[in-house]
Amino acid sequence: MTKPTLAEVTDFLRDHVSQRTKVPPEQILGSTVLVDFGLESIDAVLISGHIEDRFQIEVEPSLMFEYQTLDEVAAAVVALFDKR
Amino acid sequence: MVTTADEAVEVFQDRSWGVTAVTPYLEALQAETGEDLSLLIEATRASLVYQTGADHLMTRRALAPFLSPAAAARWEPVIDGHIRSGLARLAASSKPDLVRDFSDPLFVACARDLFGLAIPDEAEFLRHIYNARIFTEPLLRLRELRLVQDAYRHLVEAASAKGDYPGCDSGPAPLVGALARSKLPEGVNDATLIASITVAAHTAAESLAYALWGLLRDGAPTWGEVSRPGWADAHLEQVIRDYPSTLRLYRVAGAGTALNGKAVAAGDVAELDIPAANRSLCPHGASDGGRTSLSFGDGMHKCPGAALARLMMRRALPAMAERFPELRLDEAGVRIERTHMVQAPTALPCRLAPAATRRSARMWDVTEAATARAIAVDDLRFSPPGMESHLISLQEASGQDLSTVIRIARNAPFFQSGPRHARMRLLGFEALGSNRLAAWTPLIEAEIARAVAALEGRTEADLVRDFCEPLFHAVCQPIMGLHPRSPEVFNQLAPMLQEVLEPLRSLRAIVKVQAMVDTLLDQFDEPAPDEGEQGPMSLLSHLAANGREEMDVEDRKAFVLVLYGASFNVAHTLANAILDLAAKPVAERGDPADPARIAAHLDTRIVPDAASPRFIYRIARVAGEIDGMAFAPGDTMRLQLAAINRDLGAGHLAFGHGLHRCIGAALSRLLIRKALPALFSRYPDLRLAAAAPRYAENSQTVILAELPCRLH
């Protein structure tokens, strides 16, 4: 699997955060602190599962909480490709 | 009563006001009572606090070259060095106290190096200082005067002992050396003068401690600024003003005069309230004389040590704020002594690191022992992780069948609360509590003997694979009632049970663990009702006999498998304990072959240091706050057991505490208490082999993968 662009991962994440938290995607900005939209443990497990399926890379759910904003989580996912 | 700065300055600068005549008072007391107060009388004659006229002037001149700001500044490197060792001492203390571990030792180090006193015993020296400093209190009883005089005797000795003065060759000469070359009033010897200055100088340590209290109380709102460059220039004088350790000073009118326009007769006494006078300066900051406080007095009898005291505070406060930015007082333990004349902290217990730090958006690491213990026992505000509900909603949302891991979570006491947990806990303690274990003790002792014997004839062994693991299997499986169809398969897979504890597992990892749990559950059955087990009743049999109401057979098997997974900690803790002992030279091990010694140290040192669980997890049920740090409902509190157990010692949390206290605690303590002496009495010279012990990769538990040891 080739390394995705930051934009690709950010959009993918935004959609799934929107689905789980029922917040419209346009309200989820890059600087949004995901926990402020009530992101729960189960959301972190499911979203990281979707990232794994879509981008074929292992992602620990705790990553969704180690980083605060949408941009930071997306950047952390992209960085996993460099570590591979 | 003088309560404004202007009036106080008027008194200080009006020569008709003088210090209280203590020397004649003591001489009269001595004549009256026949009590020998000669040393005390000599001390007041030598002390700047009580001297008057020419003697006072001569003594001040003799001290000036040593106490002037320029002279004091030359001591900065020496003082900085003592501050550094004070901070190191604080960091090393398990129960740090800013007075006992910092301001008092700093004072002693300065008395040794700056004044040149010989101080072989710090604690004894401080006792003399604390006894001598009450001398300024009014109307002391005779027995108190004797106490003060005895203290002065020791201090004069300390000042007379011509020790070699470290730092003498390169740095400035200590006071003892400086005075030897200067002229003192008739009948005043330098040792007595230095002793009286040293007693007075303790006020500097009290002021430093009082300033620390002032800056750190009520959650230390401004402590963060103290380490910023230029803080001392901008704020030190204000701190000296707001937190003076001197409460009162007295002056007696030697002749008629006036104060604030009112007539004063000879013999009238002025009581100067220093905090009040300082407060009167607050609104306009510096008054006309550029004075921001009267904490060091003013006029002829102004504090001669002001420059040194300011230097010590100017260097110590920022250095401490930089080294311990999260420093907080244990406010409940603070003790401030207020006598008639002075106010000073006698105890400032503190915490050098925050009770809890935010680890991620939803997780806090709690490192402070008392805070952790409070969380562990607070079942109202905190709950165990809700693994069962998490897995149920994950199953619904993902469509993935997670019924086995849900059953595991449903039968894991550390994931349950309320009545189900209480019932499981009772059943568990009935089967694994101390009285039932008494019946298992013969088996445990026999298996320990067998495991030790299995090492016979060998010079080296891996004490994880060759001792702790086989011993753990041989003891815990029968007690749990586990008789696997294929021990190899079972023992090979079972360690993965420990991964159930890892929080926030990915769906992929959960599915993998589930498959392994299914295989393990298929490996064993409940004993048929008629098929009696020889020996005491196992946990599984106990559940079959007493737990049918709340648990079906699959629940009962899951509960046993969960407790078996948790009991791996016995093997890991035993291995860690062996490592702790084997790593020490034989002479420093405190004879681990002796069962009584092991039993005595089991909970004070062995278990707290060797316990394998890294964390206890609690989830906030409600919003709340720890030391000013706000947490939200659903936040995870991760109690860091290594740091906490080290601080708590006997009260450690290795087995948790309160409602969720470990069900296997009695079994663990029994096995470790018996296995260590058995192993070390057979192999007293047991030590680590060349290869270093290797740890397994596990974020939740301290697991030795290998412990290569030489047995002889």
Side-chain angles (χ1 to χ4, degrees):
Chain A
M1 172 84 197
T2 55
K3 180 176 168 185
T5 64
L6 186 58
E8 246 182 299
V9 175
T10 307
D11 292 344
F12 181 83
L13 257 177
R14 177 178 288 113
D15 291 345
H16 281 278
V17 168
S18 168
Q19 279 171 37
R20 288 302 306 169
T21 59
K22 309 286 184 280
V23 172
E26 55 280 9
Q27 284 178 25
I28 303 174
L29 314 177
S31 57
T32 303
V33 175
L34 299 179
V35 179
D36 293 349
F37 280 147
L39 198 75
E40 290 284 337
S41 311
I42 180 164
D43 308 315
V45 172
L46 288 169
I47 294 172
S48 57
H50 293 311
I51 295 172
E52 289 193 338
D53 299 341
R54 168 71 178 71
F55 296 105
Q56 294 305 304
I57 185 159
E58 284 202 4
V59 177
E60 281 306 320
S62 51
L63 183 118
M64 304 284 297
F65 292 125
E66 258 138 50
Y67 298 91
Q68 310 263 343
T69 65
L70 183 70
D71 283 347
E72 285 168 356
V73 175
V77 170
V78 171
L80 291 175
F81 280 84
D82 304 333
K83 282 189 203 137
R84 250 190 346 184
Chain B
M1 187 69 169
V2 172
T3 56
T4 68
D6 293 342
E7 277 182 351
V9 169
E10 202 180 331
V11 170
F12 282 133
Q13 292 189 351
D14 174 351
R15 293 266 169 126
S16 29
W17 293 96
V19 292
T20 28
V22 170
T23 309
Y25 166 75
L26 288 177
E27 282 160 349
L29 199 60
Q30 175 168 263
E32 198 72 41
T33 62
E35 186 85 27
D36 172 13
L37 297 172
S38 51
L39 175 63
L40 213 48
I41 291 168
E42 201 193 313
T44 56
R45 276 212 197 93
S47 162
L48 281 172
V49 177
Y50 302 110
Q51 284 174 335
T52 55
D55 283 2
H56 178 254
L57 210 58
M58 185 185 285
T59 307
R60 272 196 96 95
R61 278 210 190 93
L63 292 168
F66 182 83
L67 292 174
S68 69
R74 284 203 296 276
W75 286 103
E76 192 171 291
V78 174
I79 290 175
D80 281 350
H82 292 317
I83 288 169
R84 276 193 302 277
S85 40
L87 296 176
R89 176 166 166 163
L90 263 178
S93 167
S94 64
K95 292 205 177 344
D97 181 297
L98 296 176
V99 175
R100 189 197 59 225
D101 299 321
F102 187 75
S103 58
D104 269 355
L106 179 59
F107 161 75
V108 172
C110 291
R112 194 180 276 134
D113 283 359
L114 277 69
F115 294 162
L117 273 68
I119 307 173
D121 181 332
E122 174 182 298
E124 199 203 339
F125 176 74
L126 280 169
R127 210 164 12 83
H128 297 319
I129 289 288
Y130 272 85
N131 286 340
R133 71 191 253 281
I134 65 168
F135 187 50
T136 51
E137 296 300 319
L139 293 175
L140 292 179
R141 284 173 280 257
L142 262 181
R143 70 174 165 72
E144 288 167 322
L145 287 174
R146 276 187 221 108
L147 192 71
V148 172
Q149 178 162 260
D150 179 59
Y152 260 97
R153 194 178 325 285
H154 289 93
L155 297 174
V156 170
E157 257 165 47
S160 332
K162 296 287 180 287
D164 58 345
Y165 310 121
C168 196
D169 35 20
S170 56
L175 182 55
V176 170
L179 273 186
R181 295 184 296 279
S182 46
K183 201 167 170 326
L184 290 177
E186 197 51 41
V188 171
N189 74 56
D190 50 11
T192 312
L193 171 57
I194 291 166
S196 71
I197 286 176
T198 306
V199 173
H202 188 257
T203 318
E206 291 166 12
S207 306
L208 173 60
Y210 200 56
L212 279 167
W213 173 74
L215 290 164
L216 288 167
R217 65 194 181 120
D218 306 336
T222 61
W223 184 245
E225 295 152 21
V226 177
S227 51
R228 287 206 199 109
W231 174 84
D233 295 334
H235 298 286
L236 184 58
E237 288 312 312
Q238 182 206 326
V239 169
I240 289 171
R241 178 196 69 202
D242 296 343
Y243 304 106
S245 65
T246 304
L247 275 180
R248 284 186 184 79
L249 290 172
Y250 283 91
R251 290 295 181 269
V252 180
T257 180
L259 174 58
N260 198 8
K262 290 183 230 99
V264 169
D268 281 358
V269 175
E271 179 185 312
L272 300 124
D273 179 337
I274 298 302
N278 286 355
R279 276 192 302 275
S280 74
L281 289 170
C282 273
H284 357 289
S287 73
D288 48 19
R291 188 176 297 101
T292 47
S293 84
L294 287 161
S295 302
F296 292 116
D298 200 77
M300 278 288 294
H301 275 270
K302 197 162 80 156
C303 166
L308 268 177
R310 281 192 165 97
L311 177 64
M312 198 160 75
M313 293 167 99
R314 166 181 289 277
R315 302 301 298 175
L317 294 171
M320 184 171 293
E322 190 173 342
R323 175 72 189 280
F324 303 117
E326 298 293 335
L327 178 61
R328 292 294 178 277
L329 286 177
D330 163 12
E331 310 252 5
V334 168
R335 294 289 171 276
I336 293 181
E337 180 196 44
R338 280 191 177 79
T339 67
H340 187 72
M341 300 296 282
V342 295
Q343 55 187 355
T346 50
L348 288 177
C350 61
R351 245 188 320 81
L352 308 177
T357 39
R358 179 180 282 282
R359 181 57 54 205
S360 75
R362 301 303 299 275
M363 170 104 76
W364 296 83
D365 271 333
V366 180
T367 46
E368 204 274 322
T371 308
R373 177 184 274 277
I375 290 172
V377 300
D378 184 347
D379 216 47
L380 284 176
R381 294 200 310 160
F382 300 97
S383 74
M387 187 66 88
E388 184 186 358
S389 54
H390 172 71
L391 293 173
I392 289 170
S393 19
L394 193 56
Q395 172 172 265
E396 275 155 24
S398 67
Q400 176 75 46
D401 169 18
L402 299 177
S403 49
T404 297
V405 283
I406 289 171
R407 182 184 296 281
I408 286 290
R410 215 170 106 71
N411 291 290
F414 36 78
F415 290 145
Q416 292 295 316
S417 278
R420 182 169 182 76
H421 167 259
R423 184 69 189 127
M424 281 198 284
R425 185 183 144 84
L426 183 63
L427 288 165
F429 271 117
E430 283 167 351
L432 300 174
S434 315
N435 33 34
R436 177 68 64 83
L437 283 184
W440 286 108
T441 301
L443 172 133
I444 293 172
E445 284 169 346
E447 290 306 335
I448 289 172
R450 188 205 311 270
V452 172
L455 302 171
E456 257 341 292
R458 303 177 56 163
T459 49
E460 280 210 7
D462 168 1
L463 290 183
V464 167
R465 196 192 54 230
D466 302 332
F467 181 73
C468 295
E469 267 173 17
L471 176 57
F472 161 67
H473 292 150
V475 166
C476 286
Q477 287 182 9
I479 292 180
M480 299 284 171
L482 287 168
H483 304 289
R485 277 179 258 290
S486 153
E488 294 73 32
V489 169
F490 188 84
N491 291 339
Q492 212 257 324
L493 273 181
M496 285 176 72
L497 276 172
Q498 299 170 95
E499 290 182 25
V500 170
L501 286 179
E502 190 130 354
L504 264 183
R505 302 307 311 279
S506 65
L507 195 53
R508 166 184 39 83
I510 292 172
V511 169
K512 208 174 101 200
V513 166
Q514 174 164 264
M516 177 271 298
V517 170
D518 283 328
T519 308
L520 286 169
L521 285 170
D522 290 343
Q523 273 286 320
F524 66 100
D525 299 312
E526 268 182 352
D530 52 3
E531 186 198 334
E533 280 175 328
Q534 341 83 358
M537 189 183 261
S538 71
L539 172 63
L540 190 53
S541 303
H542 182 76
L543 293 177
N546 304 285
R548 285 181 177 280
E549 237 170 74
E550 308 80 357
M551 298 176 170
D552 62 25
V553 59
E554 288 310 320
D555 275 340
R556 296 195 295 271
K557 284 178 63 177
F559 183 40
V560 168
L561 198 61
V562 162
L563 288 194
Y564 180 66
S567 69
F568 274 83
N569 283 305
V570 178
H572 303 321
T573 301
L574 177 59
N576 296 339
I578 294 170
L579 167 61
D580 290 346
L581 288 163
K584 288 192 185 116
V586 176
E588 289 169 25
R589 292 179 188 173
D591 190 8
D594 174 4
R597 282 187 68 81
I598 291 290
H601 294 122
L602 191 65
D603 271 306
T604 53
R605 253 209 334 264
I606 295 171
V607 167
D609 292 349
S612 55
R614 294 184 196 275
F615 314 114
I616 288 175
Y617 288 92
R618 285 291 176 276
I619 312 298
R621 297 181 195 267
V622 294
E625 178 243 71
I626 304 171
D627 287 332
M629 280 165 275
F631 56 80
D635 276 9
T636 300
M637 301 292 160
R638 184 167 64 175
L639 313 187
Q640 295 278 349
L641 293 185
I644 291 160
N645 288 341
R646 203 176 39 242
D647 289 350
L648 286 174
H652 63 74
L653 293 179
F655 297 122
H657 198 66
L659 256 181
H660 284 275
R661 183 170 163 71
C662 169
I663 293 173
L667 172 58
S668 310
R669 298 176 69 247
L670 178 62
L671 185 62
I672 294 169
R673 186 162 52 81
K674 287 188 175 293
L676 287 178
L679 180 66
F680 280 91
S681 56
R682 176 62 195 78
Y683 300 106
D685 296 328
L686 181 151
R687 59 197 181 287
L688 298 184
R694 193 169 51 80
Y695 287 91
E697 191 75 39
N698 187 300
S699 65
Q700 303 305 305
T701 313
V702 180
I703 302 175
L704 272 167
E706 244 179 24
L707 180 52
C709 286
R710 290 192 58 80
L711 299 177
H712 305 288

